């Protein structure tokens, strides 16, 4: 533990205690209500967030930037290549230098190890804006969305269909920390990392891994999926071929609970991982989910800076 660290990192759900995760969601809901009433508390006045994107982004970039702006702070956004980092300056030096200018760093990058290295060398909070390993901010927004529509997630059943990717791995970590059942249907070659599943099961998580989407969605309260090809995936064609039987469509949704909602972190590919009927249909809450990135990330930054 770095004795000079000002603030707390948000690198993975597994590295944050369940009480803090619940506190973040409660604060996010409160901030959402306040914003609807026209109130934007200046809780981050004078605070600065540097954001580094090695991969594309719409939601993460805009929601963090607006979050900082609305709470009285400021966000600076860079793509990895325009910094000297893109020309070989070390992650450690970048961490040290940014620590002298800003209050927190959000990184979206290809390698989770790089995120860890940044966090180990920074004296300020580092936030995971997506790596190939996990996407914790996304799942916090997903849980807020689920609870708005379906009540407490504890004891409920979430079905993940498709690639056992970064988003799936954050769902797995969340299942242990929030106490919901998780059913994942993935092609065996695209299963999530066994150590991630084992970590959650060791904490008592109720997780079933199957290759059959019909089995995973049975009576589920939420059905969720993601793009068949994630940013940085080396072999899109093979990936798409393996995932073809994993489309979320109306016949599949009919096997879930009649009140089930559909979630997708976006960007979506209609006709691939989900049909237009489902993502644009009445069970879909994907735009509430996208909006909730804003509210949740306000609360995450407040937690990282020890404001809550
Ligand atoms: N869901 C998500 O993280 O979207 P972006 O890639 O647009 O940030
Ligand atoms: N799994 C996707 C999520 C995008 C928000 C990716 O990593 O590209």
């Amino acid at each position: 533990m770095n004795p000079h660290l000002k603030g707390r990192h948000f690198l993975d759900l597994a590295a944050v205690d369940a009480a803090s995760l619940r506190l973040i969601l409660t604060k996010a809901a409160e901030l959402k209500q306040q914003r609807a009433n026209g109130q934007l508390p200046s809780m981050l006045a004078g605070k600065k967030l540097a954001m580094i994107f090695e991969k594309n982004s719409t939601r993460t970039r805009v929601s963090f930037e607006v979050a900082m702006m609305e709470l009285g702070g400021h966000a600076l956004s860079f793509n990895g290549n325009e910094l000297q980092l893109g020309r070989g300056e070390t992650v450690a030096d970048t961490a040290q230098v940014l620590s002298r200018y800003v209050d927190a760093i959000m990184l979206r990058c290809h390698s989770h190890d790089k995120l860890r290295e940044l966090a180990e060398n920074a004296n300020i909070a580092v936030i995971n804006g997506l790596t190939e390993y996990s996407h914790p901010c996304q799942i916090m927004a997903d849980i807020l969305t689920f609870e708005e529509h379906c009540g407490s997630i504890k004891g409920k059943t979430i079905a993940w269909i498709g690639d056992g990717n970064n988003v799936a791995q954050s769902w797995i970590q969340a299942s242990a920390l929030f106490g919901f059942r998780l059913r994942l249907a993935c092609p065996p070659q695209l299963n999530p990392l066994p150590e991630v599943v084992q970590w959650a099961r060791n904490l008592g998580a109720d997780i079933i891994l199957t290759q059959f989407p019909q089995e995973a969605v049975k009576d589920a309260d939420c059905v969720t999926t993601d793009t068949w090809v994630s940013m940085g995936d080396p072999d899109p064609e093979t990936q798409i071929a393996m995932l073809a039987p994993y489309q979320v469509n109306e016949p599949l949704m009919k096997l879930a609970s009649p009140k089930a909602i559909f979630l997708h972190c976006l960007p979506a590919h209609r006709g691939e991982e989900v049909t237009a009927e489902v993502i644009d249909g009445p069970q879909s809450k994907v735009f509430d989910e996208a909006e909730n990135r804003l509210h949740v990330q306000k609360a995450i930054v407040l937690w990282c800076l020890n404001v809550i």
Side-chain angles (χ1 to χ4, degrees), residues 46-81:
K47 299 295 183 190
K48 293 163 284 287
L49 172 72
M51 306 192 288
I52 306 172
F53 289 93
E54 291 188 349
K55 300 175 175 180
N56 297 54
S57 173
T58 298
R59 280 143 290 268
T60 305
R61 177 173 173 170
V62 179
S63 57
F64 265 114
E65 190 160 337
V66 172
M68 290 305 294
M69 195 191 299
E70 288 192 349
L71 295 184
H74 189 78
L76 304 89
S77 180
F78 309 98
N79 75 52
N81 284 335

Side-chain angles (χ1 to χ4, degrees), residues 55-57 59-60 108 129-135 138 160 163 165-168 226-233 264-267 293:
K55 300 175 175 180
N56 297 54
S57 173
R59 280 143 290 268
T60 305
R108 168 170 287 198
L130 180 150
T131 67
E132 87 295 3
Y133 178 77
S134 61
H135 195 4
Q138 180 67 52
W160 171 272
D163 187 9
N165 65 12
N166 44 6
V167 179
D226 189 9
T227 175
W228 285 346
V229 181
S230 284
M231 294 179 280
D233 275 344
H264 189 310
C265 64
L266 306 179
R293 296 291 305 278

Side-chain angles (χ1 to χ4, degrees), residues 2 4-6 9 50 52 83-85 88-107 113-127:
N2 175 355
H4 305 292
L5 179 64
K6 297 186 287 264
H9 299 315
I52 306 172
L83 298 177
Q84 296 288 9
L85 189 62
E89 185 167 17
T90 65
V91 173
D93 284 358
T94 304
Q96 288 283 323
V97 170
L98 291 180
S99 296
R100 302 291 178 108
Y101 299 140
V102 299
D103 302 283
I105 308 170
M106 190 237 75
L107 175 63
D113 286 343
K114 184 182 264 189
L115 178 81
R116 285 208 190 97
E117 193 183 349
L118 187 79
E120 276 160 19
N121 289 282
N123 295 332
I124 54 174
V126 172
I127 300 171

Side-chain angles (χ1 to χ4, degrees), residues 13-264:
L13 298 182
V16 181
D17 61 288
S20 292
L21 295 176
R22 179 51 69 188
L23 173 73
I24 289 168
L25 287 186
T26 303
K27 190 67 193 175
E30 188 186 317
L31 289 165
K32 182 172 184 174
Q33 187 58 53
Q34 285 180 304
R35 185 178 190 257
N37 297 336
Q39 295 164 346
L40 296 169
S42 300
M43 298 177 81
L44 291 175
K47 299 295 183 190
K48 293 163 284 287
L49 172 72
M51 306 192 288
I52 306 172
F53 289 93
E54 291 188 349
K55 300 175 175 180
N56 297 54
S57 173
T58 298
R59 280 143 290 268
T60 305
R61 177 173 173 170
V62 179
S63 57
F64 265 114
E65 190 160 337
V66 172
M68 290 305 294
M69 195 191 299
E70 288 192 349
L71 295 184
H74 189 78
L76 304 89
S77 180
F78 309 98
N79 75 52
N81 284 335
E82 75 190 289
L83 298 177
Q84 296 288 9
L85 189 62
R87 292 183 57 247
E89 185 167 17
T90 65
V91 173
D93 284 358
T94 304
Q96 288 283 323
V97 170
L98 291 180
S99 296
R100 302 291 178 108
Y101 299 140
V102 299
D103 302 283
I105 308 170
M106 190 237 75
L107 175 63
R108 168 170 287 198
C109 64
H110 290 281
S111 147
H112 200 74
D113 286 343
K114 184 182 264 189
L115 178 81
R116 285 208 190 97
E117 193 183 349
L118 187 79
E120 276 160 19
N121 289 282
N123 295 332
I124 54 174
V126 172
I127 300 171
N128 179 354
L130 180 150
T131 67
E132 87 295 3
Y133 178 77
S134 61
H135 195 4
C137 296
Q138 180 67 52
I139 278 18
M140 292 296 282
D142 294 3
I143 294 173
L144 180 63
T145 312
F146 179 88
E147 294 197 330
E148 286 173 346
H149 291 281
C150 310
S152 171
I153 199 166
K154 196 171 167 59
K156 299 282 196 334
T157 303
I158 310 296
W160 171 272
I161 309 300
D163 187 9
N165 65 12
N166 44 6
V167 179
Q169 294 191 155
S170 284
W171 271 113
I172 291 168
Q173 295 180 342
S175 74
L177 296 160
F178 285 93
F180 57 85
R181 295 192 192 101
L182 186 61
R183 311 300 184 229
L184 301 111
C186 311
Q189 306 92 321
L190 298 176
N191 271 339
L193 292 171
E195 58 265 33
V196 177
V197 178
Q198 199 52 53
W199 174 89
R201 283 185 175 148
N202 288 347
L203 288 181
D206 178 353
I207 297 175
I208 292 179
L209 255 177
T210 169
Q211 32 180 321
F212 304 109
Q214 292 77 4
E215 191 182 324
V217 299
K218 195 173 175 310
D219 301 326
D221 301 293
C222 170
V223 177
T224 184
T225 186
D226 189 9
T227 175
W228 285 346
V229 181
S230 284
M231 294 179 280
D233 275 344
D235 187 358
E237 275 178 28
T238 309
Q239 189 108 347
I240 289 171
M242 283 192 288
L243 286 160
Y246 291 79
Q247 184 185 68
V248 177
N249 49 34
E250 282 183 315
L252 193 68
M253 285 301 290
K254 285 212 164 60
L255 301 176
S257 158
K259 290 189 182 153
I261 61 167
F262 172 77
L263 296 180
H264 189 310

